[in-house]
Coordinates of all heavy atoms in Angstrom, one line a residue:
L1 N -14.5 73.4 -25.0 CA -15.8 73.8 -25.5 C -16.2 75.1 -24.9 O -16.2 75.3 -23.7 CB -16.8 72.7 -25.3 CG -16.5 71.3 -25.9 CD1 -17.5 70.3 -25.4 CD2 -16.4 71.4 -27.4
E2 N -16.6 76.0 -25.8 CA -17.0 77.4 -25.4 C -18.4 77.5 -25.1 O -19.3 76.8 -25.7 CB -16.5 78.4 -26.5 CG -15.0 78.4 -26.6 CD -14.2 78.8 -25.5 OE1 -14.7 79.7 -24.7 OE2 -13.1 78.2 -25.2
E3 N -18.7 78.4 -24.2 CA -20.1 78.6 -23.8 C -20.8 79.8 -24.5 O -22.0 79.9 -24.6 CB -20.2 78.8 -22.3 CG -19.6 77.7 -21.5 CD -20.5 76.5 -21.3 OE1 -21.8 76.7 -21.3 OE2 -20.1 75.4 -21.2
T4 N -20.0 80.8 -24.9 CA -20.5 82.0 -25.4 C -20.2 82.1 -27.0 O -19.2 81.5 -27.4 CB -19.9 83.3 -24.7 OG1 -18.5 83.3 -25.0 CG2 -20.2 83.2 -23.3
S5 N -20.8 83.0 -27.6 CA -20.6 83.2 -29.0 C -19.2 83.8 -29.3 O -18.5 83.4 -30.2 CB -21.7 84.1 -29.7 OG -21.4 84.4 -31.0
G6 N -18.8 84.7 -28.5 CA -17.5 85.3 -28.6 C -16.4 84.3 -28.4 O -15.3 84.3 -29.1
G7 N -16.6 83.4 -27.4 CA -15.6 82.3 -27.2 C -15.5 81.4 -28.3 O -14.4 80.9 -28.6
V8 N -16.6 81.1 -29.0 CA -16.6 80.2 -30.1 C -15.8 80.8 -31.3 O -15.0 80.1 -31.8 CB -18.1 79.9 -30.6 CG1 -18.1 79.1 -31.9 CG2 -18.8 79.0 -29.5
W9 N -16.0 82.1 -31.5 CA -15.3 82.8 -32.6 C -13.8 82.8 -32.2 O -12.9 82.7 -33.1 CB -15.8 84.1 -32.8 CG -17.1 84.1 -33.7 CD1 -18.3 84.3 -33.3 CD2 -17.2 83.7 -35.1 NE1 -19.2 84.1 -34.3 CE2 -18.5 83.7 -35.4 CE3 -16.2 83.3 -36.0 CZ2 -19.0 83.5 -36.7 CZ3 -16.7 83.0 -37.3 CH2 -18.0 83.0 -37.6
Q10 N -13.5 83.0 -31.0 CA -12.1 83.1 -30.6 C -11.4 81.7 -30.8 O -10.3 81.6 -31.2 CB -12.0 83.5 -29.1 CG -10.6 83.7 -28.6 CD -10.6 84.2 -27.2 OE1 -11.5 84.2 -26.5 NE2 -9.4 84.6 -26.7
L11 N -12.1 80.7 -30.4 CA -11.6 79.3 -30.6 C -11.5 79.0 -32.1 O -10.5 78.4 -32.5 CB -12.5 78.3 -29.9 CG -12.1 76.9 -29.9 CD1 -10.7 76.7 -29.2 CD2 -13.1 76.0 -29.3
F12 N -12.4 79.4 -32.9 CA -12.3 79.2 -34.3 C -11.1 79.9 -34.9 O -10.4 79.2 -35.7 CB -13.6 79.8 -35.0 CG -13.6 79.8 -36.5 CD1 -13.7 78.7 -37.2 CD2 -13.3 81.0 -37.1 CE1 -13.6 78.7 -38.6 CE2 -13.2 81.1 -38.5 CZ -13.4 79.9 -39.2
M13 N -10.8 81.2 -34.5 CA -9.7 81.8 -35.1 C -8.4 81.2 -34.6 O -7.4 81.1 -35.4 CB -9.7 83.3 -34.6 CG -10.8 84.1 -35.3 SD -10.6 84.1 -37.1 CE -9.1 84.9 -37.4
A14 N -8.4 80.7 -33.4 CA -7.2 80.1 -32.9 C -6.9 78.8 -33.6 O -5.7 78.5 -34.0 CB -7.3 79.7 -31.4
I15 N -7.9 78.0 -33.9 CA -7.8 76.7 -34.7 C -7.4 77.1 -36.1 O -6.5 76.4 -36.7 CB -9.1 75.9 -34.7 CG1 -9.4 75.4 -33.3 CG2 -9.1 74.8 -35.7 CD1 -10.7 74.8 -33.1
A16 N -8.0 78.1 -36.7 CA -7.6 78.5 -38.1 C -6.2 78.9 -38.2 O -5.4 78.5 -39.1 CB -8.6 79.6 -38.6
I17 N -5.7 79.7 -37.3 CA -4.3 80.2 -37.3 C -3.4 79.1 -37.1 O -2.3 78.9 -37.8 CB -4.1 81.4 -36.3 CG1 -4.9 82.7 -36.8 CG2 -2.6 81.7 -36.1 CD1 -5.0 83.7 -35.7
H18 N -3.7 78.3 -36.2 CA -2.9 77.0 -35.8 C -2.8 76.1 -37.1 O -1.7 75.6 -37.4 CB -3.4 76.3 -34.6 CG -2.6 75.2 -34.2 ND1 -2.9 73.9 -34.6 CD2 -1.5 75.0 -33.5 CE1 -2.1 73.0 -34.1 NE2 -1.1 73.7 -33.4
S19 N -3.9 75.9 -37.7 CA -3.9 75.0 -38.9 C -3.1 75.6 -40.0 O -2.5 74.8 -40.7 CB -5.4 74.8 -39.3 OG -6.1 74.1 -38.3
I20 N -3.1 76.9 -40.2 CA -2.3 77.5 -41.3 C -0.8 77.2 -41.1 O -0.1 76.7 -42.0 CB -2.5 79.0 -41.3 CG1 -3.9 79.3 -41.9 CG2 -1.5 79.6 -42.2 CD1 -4.3 80.8 -41.8
A21 N -0.4 77.3 -39.9 CA 1.0 77.0 -39.5 C 1.4 75.5 -39.7 O 2.4 75.2 -40.3 CB 1.3 77.5 -38.1
I22 N 0.5 74.7 -39.3 CA 0.7 73.3 -39.4 C 0.7 72.8 -40.8 O 1.6 72.0 -41.3 CB -0.4 72.4 -38.6 CG1 -0.3 72.7 -37.1 CG2 -0.3 71.0 -38.9 CD1 1.0 72.3 -36.5
V23 N -0.2 73.2 -41.6 CA -0.3 72.9 -43.1 C 0.9 73.4 -43.8 O 1.5 72.7 -44.6 CB -1.6 73.4 -43.7 CG1 -1.6 73.3 -45.2 CG2 -2.8 72.6 -43.1
F24 N 1.4 74.6 -43.5 CA 2.6 75.1 -44.1 C 3.8 74.3 -43.8 O 4.6 73.9 -44.7 CB 2.8 76.6 -43.6 CG 4.1 77.2 -44.2 CD1 4.1 77.6 -45.5 CD2 5.2 77.3 -43.4 CE1 5.3 78.2 -46.0 CE2 6.3 77.8 -43.9 CZ 6.4 78.3 -45.2
C25 N 4.0 73.9 -42.5 CA 5.1 73.1 -42.1 C 5.1 71.8 -42.7 O 6.1 71.3 -43.2 CB 5.2 73.0 -40.6 SG 5.6 74.6 -39.7
I26 N 3.9 71.1 -42.7 CA 3.8 69.8 -43.3 C 4.1 69.9 -44.8 O 4.8 69.0 -45.4 CB 2.5 69.2 -43.0 CG1 2.4 68.8 -41.5 CG2 2.2 67.9 -43.9 CD1 1.0 68.3 -41.1
G27 N 3.6 70.9 -45.5 CA 3.8 71.1 -46.9 C 5.2 71.3 -47.2 O 5.8 70.7 -48.2
M28 N 5.9 72.2 -46.5 CA 7.3 72.4 -46.7 C 8.2 71.1 -46.5 O 9.1 70.8 -47.2 CB 7.9 73.5 -45.8 CG 7.4 74.8 -46.1 SD 7.8 75.4 -47.8 CE 9.6 75.5 -47.6
E29 N 7.8 70.3 -45.4 CA 8.5 69.1 -45.2 C 8.3 68.1 -46.3 O 9.3 67.4 -46.7 CB 8.1 68.5 -43.9 CG 8.9 67.3 -43.4 CD 8.6 66.9 -42.1 OE1 8.4 67.7 -41.2 OE2 8.7 65.7 -41.8
M30 N 7.2 68.0 -46.8 CA 6.9 67.1 -48.0 C 7.6 67.6 -49.2 O 8.1 66.7 -50.0 CB 5.3 67.0 -48.2 CG 4.6 66.3 -47.1 SD 2.8 66.3 -47.4 CE 2.7 64.8 -48.4
V31 N 7.6 68.8 -49.5 CA 8.3 69.3 -50.7 C 9.8 69.1 -50.6 O 10.5 68.6 -51.5 CB 8.0 70.9 -50.9 CG1 9.0 71.4 -51.9 CG2 6.6 71.1 -51.3
S32 N 10.4 69.3 -49.4 CA 11.9 69.1 -49.2 C 12.2 67.7 -49.3 O 13.4 67.3 -49.6 CB 12.3 69.8 -47.9 OG 11.7 69.1 -46.8
S33 N 11.3 66.8 -48.9 CA 11.6 65.3 -49.0 C 11.4 64.7 -50.3 O 11.6 63.5 -50.5 CB 10.8 64.5 -47.9 OG 9.5 64.6 -48.2
G34 N 10.9 65.5 -51.3 CA 10.7 65.0 -52.7 C 9.5 64.3 -52.9 O 9.4 63.5 -53.8
T35 N 8.4 64.6 -52.1 CA 7.1 63.9 -52.3 C 6.5 64.4 -53.6 O 6.6 65.6 -54.0 CB 6.2 64.2 -51.2 OG1 6.9 63.8 -49.9 CG2 4.9 63.4 -51.2
R36 N 5.8 63.5 -54.3 CA 5.2 63.8 -55.6 C 4.1 64.9 -55.3 O 3.5 64.9 -54.3 CB 4.6 62.6 -56.3 CG 5.6 61.7 -56.8 CD 5.0 60.5 -57.4 NE 4.1 59.9 -56.5 CZ 2.9 59.2 -56.8 NH1 2.6 59.2 -58.0 NH2 2.1 58.7 -55.9
Q37 N 3.9 65.7 -56.3 CA 2.9 66.8 -56.1 C 1.5 66.4 -55.9 O 0.7 66.9 -55.1 CB 2.9 67.8 -57.4 CG 2.1 69.0 -57.2 CD 2.2 69.9 -58.4 OE1 2.8 69.6 -59.4 NE2 1.6 71.1 -58.3
A38 N 1.1 65.3 -56.6 CA -0.3 64.8 -56.4 C -0.5 64.3 -55.0 O -1.5 64.5 -54.4 CB -0.5 63.6 -57.4
R39 N 0.5 63.7 -54.4 CA 0.5 63.2 -53.0 C 0.4 64.3 -52.1 O -0.3 64.3 -51.0 CB 1.7 62.3 -52.7 CG 1.7 61.8 -51.3 CD 1.7 60.3 -51.3 NE 1.8 59.9 -49.9 CZ 1.4 58.7 -49.6 NH1 1.1 57.9 -50.5 NH2 1.5 58.4 -48.3
I40 N 1.2 65.4 -52.3 CA 1.1 66.6 -51.5 C -0.3 67.2 -51.5 O -0.8 67.6 -50.5 CB 2.2 67.6 -51.9 CG1 3.6 67.1 -51.7 CG2 2.0 69.0 -51.2 CD1 4.7 68.0 -52.3
I41 N -0.9 67.3 -52.7 CA -2.1 67.9 -52.8 C -3.2 67.1 -52.1 O -4.1 67.6 -51.4 CB -2.6 68.2 -54.3 CG1 -1.7 69.2 -54.9 CG2 -4.0 68.5 -54.5 CD1 -1.8 69.4 -56.4
L42 N -3.2 65.8 -52.2 CA -4.1 64.9 -51.5 C -3.9 65.0 -50.1 O -5.0 65.1 -49.3 CB -3.9 63.5 -52.0 CG -4.8 62.4 -51.3 CD1 -6.2 62.6 -51.7 CD2 -4.2 61.0 -51.7
S43 N -2.8 65.0 -49.6 CA -2.5 65.2 -48.1 C -3.0 66.5 -47.6 O -3.6 66.6 -46.5 CB -1.0 65.1 -47.9 OG -0.5 63.8 -48.2
M44 N -2.9 67.6 -48.3 CA -3.3 68.9 -47.9 C -4.9 69.0 -47.9 O -5.4 69.6 -47.0 CB -2.7 70.0 -48.8 CG -1.3 70.2 -48.7 SD -0.8 70.7 -47.0 CE 0.4 69.4 -46.6
V45 N -5.5 68.3 -48.8 CA -6.9 68.3 -48.9 C -7.5 67.5 -47.7 O -8.4 68.0 -47.0 CB -7.5 67.7 -50.3 CG1 -8.9 67.4 -50.2 CG2 -7.2 68.7 -51.4
V46 N -6.9 66.3 -47.4 CA -7.3 65.5 -46.3 C -7.2 66.3 -45.0 O -8.0 66.4 -44.1 CB -6.6 64.2 -46.3 CG1 -6.8 63.5 -45.0 CG2 -7.1 63.3 -47.5
L47 N -6.0 66.9 -44.9 CA -5.7 67.7 -43.6 C -6.6 68.9 -43.5 O -7.0 69.2 -42.4 CB -4.2 68.1 -43.7 CG -3.7 68.8 -42.4 CD1 -3.8 67.8 -41.2 CD2 -2.2 69.2 -42.7
S48 N -7.0 69.5 -44.6 CA -7.9 70.6 -44.5 C -9.3 70.2 -44.2 O -10.1 71.0 -43.7 CB -7.9 71.4 -45.9 OG -6.6 71.9 -46.1
V49 N -9.7 69.0 -44.5 CA -11.0 68.5 -44.3 C -11.2 68.0 -42.8 O -12.3 68.1 -42.2 CB -11.4 67.5 -45.3 CG1 -12.8 66.8 -45.0 CG2 -11.6 68.2 -46.7
V50 N -10.2 67.4 -42.3 CA -10.2 66.7 -41.0 C -10.6 67.7 -39.8 O -11.4 67.4 -39.0 CB -8.9 66.0 -40.7 CG1 -8.8 65.5 -39.3 CG2 -8.8 64.8 -41.7
T51 N -10.0 68.9 -39.8 CA -10.2 69.8 -38.7 C -11.7 70.3 -38.7 O -12.3 70.1 -37.6 CB -9.3 71.0 -38.7 OG1 -8.0 70.6 -38.6 CG2 -9.6 72.0 -37.7
P52 N -12.3 70.7 -39.8 CA -13.7 71.1 -39.8 C -14.6 69.9 -39.4 O -15.6 70.1 -38.8 CB -14.0 71.7 -41.1 CG -12.7 72.1 -41.7 CD -11.7 71.2 -41.1
L53 N -14.2 68.7 -39.9 CA -15.0 67.6 -39.6 C -15.0 67.2 -38.1 O -16.0 66.9 -37.6 CB -14.4 66.4 -40.4 CG -15.2 65.1 -40.4 CD1 -16.5 65.2 -41.1 CD2 -14.4 63.9 -41.0
G54 N -13.9 67.4 -37.5 CA -13.8 67.2 -36.0 C -14.7 68.3 -35.3 O -15.3 67.9 -34.3
V55 N -14.7 69.5 -35.8 CA -15.5 70.5 -35.2 C -17.0 70.2 -35.3 O -17.8 70.3 -34.3 CB -15.2 71.9 -35.8 CG1 -16.2 73.0 -35.3 CG2 -13.8 72.4 -35.4
V56 N -17.4 69.8 -36.5 CA -18.8 69.4 -36.7 C -19.2 68.2 -35.9 O -20.2 68.1 -35.3 CB -19.0 69.1 -38.3 CG1 -20.3 68.5 -38.4 CG2 -18.9 70.4 -39.1
M57 N -18.2 67.2 -35.8 CA -18.5 66.1 -34.9 C -18.7 66.4 -33.5 O -19.7 66.0 -32.8 CB -17.4 65.0 -35.1 CG -17.7 63.7 -34.4 SD -16.5 62.5 -34.7 CE -15.2 63.0 -33.6
G58 N -17.9 67.3 -33.0 CA -18.0 67.8 -31.6 C -19.3 68.6 -31.4 O -20.0 68.4 -30.4
L59 N -19.7 69.4 -32.4 CA -21.0 70.1 -32.3 C -22.1 69.2 -32.3 O -23.1 69.3 -31.5 CB -21.1 71.1 -33.5 CG -20.3 72.4 -33.4 CD1 -20.4 73.1 -34.8 CD2 -20.9 73.3 -32.3
L60 N -22.2 68.2 -33.1 CA -23.3 67.3 -33.2 C -23.4 66.4 -31.9 O -24.5 66.1 -31.5 CB -23.1 66.3 -34.4 CG -23.3 66.9 -35.8 CD1 -23.0 65.9 -36.9 CD2 -24.7 67.5 -35.9
L61 N -22.2 66.0 -31.4 CA -22.2 65.3 -30.1 C -22.8 66.1 -28.9 O -23.4 65.5 -28.1 CB -20.9 64.7 -29.9 CG -20.4 63.5 -30.8 CD1 -19.0 63.2 -30.5 CD2 -21.3 62.3 -30.6
T62 N -22.5 67.4 -28.9 CA -22.8 68.2 -27.7 C -24.1 68.9 -28.0 O -24.6 69.6 -27.0 CB -21.7 69.1 -27.3 OG1 -21.4 70.0 -28.5 CG2 -20.4 68.3 -26.9
L63 N -24.6 69.0 -29.2 CA -25.8 69.8 -29.5 C -27.0 69.4 -28.7 O -27.8 70.2 -28.2 CB -26.1 69.7 -31.0 CG -27.2 70.6 -31.5 CD1 -26.8 72.1 -31.3 CD2 -27.5 70.3 -33.0
H64 N -27.2 68.1 -28.6 CA -28.4 67.5 -28.0 C -28.3 67.6 -26.4 O -29.3 67.4 -25.7 CB -28.8 66.2 -28.5 CG -29.0 66.2 -29.9 ND1 -30.1 66.7 -30.4 CD2 -28.3 65.6 -30.9 CE1 -30.1 66.6 -31.8 NE2 -29.0 65.9 -32.1
A65 N -27.1 67.8 -25.9 CA -26.9 67.7 -24.5 C -26.6 69.2 -24.0 O -25.5 69.4 -23.5 CB -25.8 66.8 -24.1
Q66 N -27.5 70.1 -24.1 CA -27.3 71.5 -23.8 C -27.4 71.7 -22.3 O -26.8 72.7 -21.8 CB -28.3 72.4 -24.5 CG -28.1 72.5 -26.0 CD -26.7 73.2 -26.3 OE1 -26.3 74.1 -25.7 NE2 -26.1 72.6 -27.3
T67 N -28.1 70.9 -21.6 CA -28.2 71.1 -20.1 C -26.9 70.5 -19.5 O -26.4 69.6 -20.0 CB -29.5 70.5 -19.6 OG1 -29.5 69.1 -19.9 CG2 -30.7 71.2 -20.2
E68 N -26.7 71.0 -18.3 CA -25.5 70.4 -17.5 C -25.9 69.1 -16.8 O -25.9 69.1 -15.5 CB -25.1 71.5 -16.5 CG -24.4 72.7 -17.1 CD -23.1 72.4 -17.8 OE1 -22.4 71.5 -17.3 OE2 -22.8 73.0 -18.8
T69 N -26.2 68.1 -17.6 CA -26.4 66.8 -17.0 C -25.1 66.0 -16.8 O -24.1 66.5 -17.3 CB -27.4 66.0 -17.9 OG1 -26.7 65.8 -19.1 CG2 -28.7 66.7 -18.1
G70 N -25.1 64.9 -16.1 CA -24.0 64.2 -16.0 C -23.4 63.6 -17.3 O -22.2 63.6 -17.5
A71 N -24.3 63.3 -18.2 CA -23.9 62.8 -19.5 C -23.2 63.9 -20.3 O -22.2 63.6 -20.9 CB -25.1 62.3 -20.3
H72 N -23.7 65.1 -20.2 CA -23.1 66.2 -21.0 C -21.7 66.5 -20.4 O -20.7 66.7 -21.1 CB -23.9 67.5 -20.8 CG -23.3 68.6 -21.5 ND1 -22.7 69.7 -20.9 CD2 -23.4 69.0 -22.8 CE1 -22.3 70.6 -21.7 NE2 -22.7 70.2 -22.9
V73 N -21.6 66.5 -19.1 CA -20.2 66.8 -18.5 C -19.2 65.7 -18.8 O -18.1 66.0 -19.1 CB -20.4 67.0 -16.9 CG1 -19.1 67.0 -16.3 CG2 -21.2 68.2 -16.6
L74 N -19.8 64.4 -18.8 CA -18.8 63.3 -19.2 C -18.4 63.4 -20.6 O -17.2 63.3 -21.0 CB -19.6 62.0 -19.0 CG -18.8 60.8 -19.4 CD1 -17.6 60.6 -18.5 CD2 -19.7 59.5 -19.3
L75 N -19.4 63.8 -21.5 CA -19.0 63.9 -23.0 C -18.0 65.0 -23.2 O -17.1 64.9 -23.9 CB -20.3 64.2 -23.8 CG -20.1 64.3 -25.3 CD1 -19.6 63.1 -25.9 CD2 -21.4 64.6 -25.9
V76 N -18.2 66.2 -22.6 CA -17.3 67.3 -22.7 C -15.9 66.9 -22.2 O -14.8 67.1 -22.8 CB -17.8 68.6 -22.0 CG1 -16.8 69.6 -21.9 CG2 -19.0 69.1 -22.7
G77 N -15.9 66.2 -21.0 CA -14.6 65.7 -20.5 C -13.9 64.7 -21.4 O -12.7 64.8 -21.6
V78 N -14.6 63.8 -22.0 CA -14.0 62.9 -22.9 C -13.5 63.6 -24.1 O -12.3 63.3 -24.6 CB -15.0 61.8 -23.3 CG1 -14.5 60.9 -24.5 CG2 -15.4 60.9 -22.1
L79 N -14.3 64.5 -24.7 CA -13.8 65.2 -25.9 C -12.5 66.0 -25.6 O -11.6 66.1 -26.4 CB -14.9 66.1 -26.5 CG -16.1 65.4 -27.1 CD1 -17.1 66.4 -27.5 CD2 -15.6 64.6 -28.3
Q80 N -12.5 66.7 -24.5 CA -11.3 67.5 -24.1 C -10.1 66.6 -23.8 O -9.0 66.9 -24.0 CB -11.7 68.4 -22.9 CG -12.6 69.5 -23.3 CD -12.9 70.5 -22.2 OE1 -12.7 70.1 -21.0 NE2 -13.4 71.7 -22.5
G81 N -10.4 65.4 -23.2 CA -9.4 64.4 -22.9 C -8.7 63.9 -24.2 O -7.5 63.8 -24.3
V82 N -9.6 63.7 -25.2 CA -9.0 63.2 -26.5 C -8.1 64.3 -27.1 O -7.1 64.0 -27.7 CB -10.2 62.8 -27.5 CG1 -9.6 62.6 -28.9 CG2 -10.8 61.6 -27.0
A83 N -8.6 65.6 -27.1 CA -7.9 66.7 -27.6 C -6.5 66.8 -26.9 O -5.5 67.0 -27.5 CB -8.7 68.0 -27.5
G84 N -6.6 66.8 -25.6 CA -5.4 66.9 -24.8 C -4.4 65.7 -25.0 O -3.2 65.9 -25.1
G85 N -5.0 64.5 -25.1 CA -4.1 63.4 -25.4 C -3.4 63.4 -26.7 O -2.3 63.0 -26.8
T86 N -4.1 64.0 -27.7 CA -3.6 64.1 -29.1 C -2.4 65.0 -29.0 O -1.4 64.8 -29.6 CB -4.6 64.6 -30.0 OG1 -5.7 63.6 -30.0 CG2 -4.1 64.7 -31.4
L87 N -2.6 66.2 -28.3 CA -1.5 67.2 -28.2 C -0.3 66.6 -27.5 O 0.8 66.8 -27.9 CB -2.0 68.4 -27.4 CG -1.1 69.5 -27.2 CD1 -0.6 70.2 -28.5 CD2 -1.6 70.6 -26.2
L88 N -0.5 65.8 -26.4 CA 0.7 65.2 -25.7 C 1.3 64.2 -26.5 O 2.6 64.1 -26.6 CB 0.2 64.6 -24.4 CG -0.2 65.6 -23.3 CD1 -0.8 64.8 -22.1 CD2 1.0 66.3 -22.8
Y89 N 0.6 63.4 -27.3 CA 1.1 62.4 -28.2 C 2.0 63.1 -29.2 O 3.2 62.7 -29.5 CB 0.0 61.6 -28.8 CG 0.6 60.6 -29.9 CD1 1.1 59.4 -29.5 CD2 0.6 60.9 -31.2 CE1 1.7 58.5 -30.4 CE2 1.2 60.0 -32.2 CZ 1.7 58.8 -31.7 OH 2.2 57.9 -32.6
I90 N 1.5 64.1 -29.9 CA 2.3 64.8 -30.9 C 3.6 65.4 -30.4 O 4.6 65.3 -31.0 CB 1.4 65.8 -31.6 CG1 0.4 65.1 -32.5 CG2 2.3 66.7 -32.6 CD1 -0.7 66.0 -33.0
T91 N 3.4 66.0 -29.2 CA 4.6 66.6 -28.6 C 5.7 65.7 -28.2 O 6.8 65.8 -28.6 CB 4.1 67.4 -27.3 OG1 3.1 68.3 -27.6 CG2 5.3 68.1 -26.6
F92 N 5.3 64.5 -27.6 CA 6.3 63.6 -27.1 C 6.8 62.7 -28.2 O 8.0 62.3 -28.1 CB 5.8 62.9 -25.9 CG 5.7 63.7 -24.6 CD1 4.5 64.1 -24.1 CD2 6.9 64.2 -24.0 CE1 4.5 64.9 -23.0 CE2 6.8 65.0 -22.9 CZ 5.6 65.3 -22.4
F93 N 6.0 62.2 -29.1 CA 6.4 61.2 -30.0 C 6.8 61.8 -31.4 O 7.5 61.0 -32.2 CB 5.3 60.1 -30.2 CG 5.2 59.3 -29.0 CD1 4.2 59.5 -28.1 CD2 6.1 58.3 -28.7 CE1 4.0 58.7 -27.0 CE2 6.0 57.5 -27.5 CZ 5.0 57.8 -26.7
E94 N 6.5 63.0 -31.7 CA 6.8 63.6 -33.0 C 7.9 64.7 -32.8 O 9.0 64.5 -33.3 CB 5.6 64.1 -33.7 CG 4.6 63.1 -34.1 CD 5.1 62.1 -35.2 OE1 6.0 62.6 -36.0 OE2 4.8 61.0 -35.2
V95 N 7.6 65.7 -32.0 CA 8.5 66.8 -31.9 C 9.7 66.5 -31.1 O 10.9 66.7 -31.6 CB 7.7 68.0 -31.3 CG1 8.7 69.2 -31.1 CG2 6.6 68.4 -32.2
L96 N 9.6 66.0 -29.9 CA 10.7 65.7 -29.1 C 11.6 64.5 -29.7 O 12.8 64.5 -29.5 CB 10.3 65.4 -27.6 CG 9.6 66.6 -26.9 CD1 9.2 66.1 -25.5 CD2 10.6 67.7 -26.8
A97 N 10.9 63.5 -30.2 CA 11.7 62.5 -30.9 C 12.6 63.0 -32.0 O 13.7 62.6 -32.1 CB 10.8 61.4 -31.4
R98 N 12.1 63.9 -32.8 CA 12.9 64.4 -33.9 C 14.1 65.2 -33.3 O 15.2 65.2 -33.8 CB 12.1 65.3 -34.8 CG 11.1 64.6 -35.7 CD 10.5 65.4 -36.6 NE 9.4 64.7 -37.3 CZ 8.6 65.3 -38.2 NH1 8.7 66.6 -38.4 NH2 7.8 64.6 -38.8
D99 N 13.8 66.0 -32.3 CA 14.9 66.8 -31.7 C 16.0 65.8 -31.1 O 17.2 66.1 -31.3 CB 14.4 67.7 -30.6 CG 13.6 68.9 -31.1 OD1 13.8 69.2 -32.3 OD2 12.9 69.5 -30.4
K100 N 15.6 64.8 -30.5 CA 16.5 63.8 -29.9 C 17.4 63.2 -31.0 O 18.5 63.0 -30.9 CB 15.8 62.8 -29.1 CG 16.7 62.0 -28.2 CD 15.9 61.1 -27.2 CE 16.8 60.4 -26.4 NZ 16.1 59.5 -25.4
L101 N 16.7 62.7 -32.1 CA 17.4 62.1 -33.2 C 18.4 63.0 -33.9 O 19.5 62.7 -34.2 CB 16.4 61.6 -34.3 CG 15.6 60.4 -33.9 CD1 14.6 60.1 -34.9 CD2 16.4 59.2 -33.7
A102 N 18.0 64.3 -34.0 CA 18.8 65.4 -34.6 C 20.1 65.6 -33.8 O 21.2 65.9 -34.3 CB 18.1 66.6 -34.9
K103 N 19.9 65.5 -32.4 CA 21.0 65.7 -31.5 C 22.1 64.7 -31.7 O 23.3 65.0 -31.6 CB 20.5 65.6 -30.1 CG 21.6 65.8 -29.0 CD 21.0 65.6 -27.7 CE 22.0 65.7 -26.6 NZ 21.5 65.5 -25.3
Y104 N 21.8 63.5 -32.2 CA 22.7 62.4 -32.4 C 23.1 62.3 -33.9 O 23.6 61.2 -34.3 CB 22.3 61.1 -31.8 CG 22.2 61.3 -30.2 CD1 20.9 61.3 -29.7 CD2 23.3 61.3 -29.5 CE1 20.8 61.4 -28.2 CE2 23.2 61.4 -28.1 CZ 22.0 61.5 -27.5 OH 21.9 61.6 -26.1
G105 N 22.6 63.2 -34.7 CA 23.0 63.1 -36.2 C 22.2 62.1 -36.9 O 22.6 61.7 -38.0
M106 N 21.0 61.7 -36.5 CA 20.2 60.8 -37.2 C 19.0 61.5 -37.8 O 18.7 62.6 -37.4 CB 19.7 59.7 -36.2 CG 20.8 58.9 -35.5 SD 20.0 57.7 -34.4 CE 21.2 57.8 -33.0
S107 N 18.2 60.8 -38.6 CA 17.0 61.4 -39.1 C 15.9 60.4 -38.8 O 16.1 59.2 -38.6 CB 17.2 61.5 -40.6 OG 17.3 60.4 -41.3
G108 N 14.6 60.9 -38.9 CA 13.5 60.0 -38.6 C 12.2 60.6 -38.9 O 12.0 61.7 -39.2

């Protein structure tokens, strides 16, 4: 969570650039696996809505706790922990698992 306006814009741009790459990769994987076009469009719409929804939820949760109270620090810590845990989960159970399966000639 950023404290300054410049930091918020920098974080916004990082999320936007990251989301573009993720949506492109997921879309290409869905097309190459033969997924129906309606399902691809629905998945892309849901994926495009989830990130801004998470940002709005984080803003609403931290908006009322502007002072550095114990509750605010705890809330920020929990939100950052969820974000970090999500990143670790995706890394270890999605990316590394696929690489390991590909090494042995399997798909997953």
Side-chain angles (χ1 to χ4, degrees):
L1 298 172
E2 298 297 324
E3 304 279 333
T4 65
S5 176
V8 170
W9 282 108
Q10 185 179 12
L11 184 61
F12 171 77
M13 288 304 295
I15 290 172
I17 291 169
H18 182 262
S19 294
I20 289 169
I22 296 297
V23 169
F24 178 77
C25 290
I26 291 173
M28 289 301 295
E29 188 169 325
M30 292 178 85
V31 167
S32 68
S33 68
T35 305
R36 292 180 304 147
Q37 187 176 6
R39 179 124 179 158
I40 293 172
I41 292 171
L42 177 66
S43 298
M44 293 299 123
V45 168
V46 169
L47 187 59
S48 299
V49 170
V50 169
T51 299
L53 188 66
V55 171
V56 168
M57 188 173 76
L59 283 171
L60 291 175
L61 287 173
T62 59
L63 185 65
H64 299 294
Q66 290 296 322
T67 59
E68 290 292 325
T69 63
H72 180 263
V73 172
L74 177 65
L75 181 61
V76 169
V78 168
L79 290 175
Q80 288 181 346
V82 168
T86 302
L87 180 65
L88 288 173
Y89 175 82
I90 290 170
T91 301
F92 287 109
F93 291 103
E94 294 293 329
V95 176
L96 294 179
R98 285 185 188 178
D99 287 343
K100 191 172 185 179
L101 287 174
K103 179 180 175 183
Y104 296 107
M106 299 181 221
S107 64

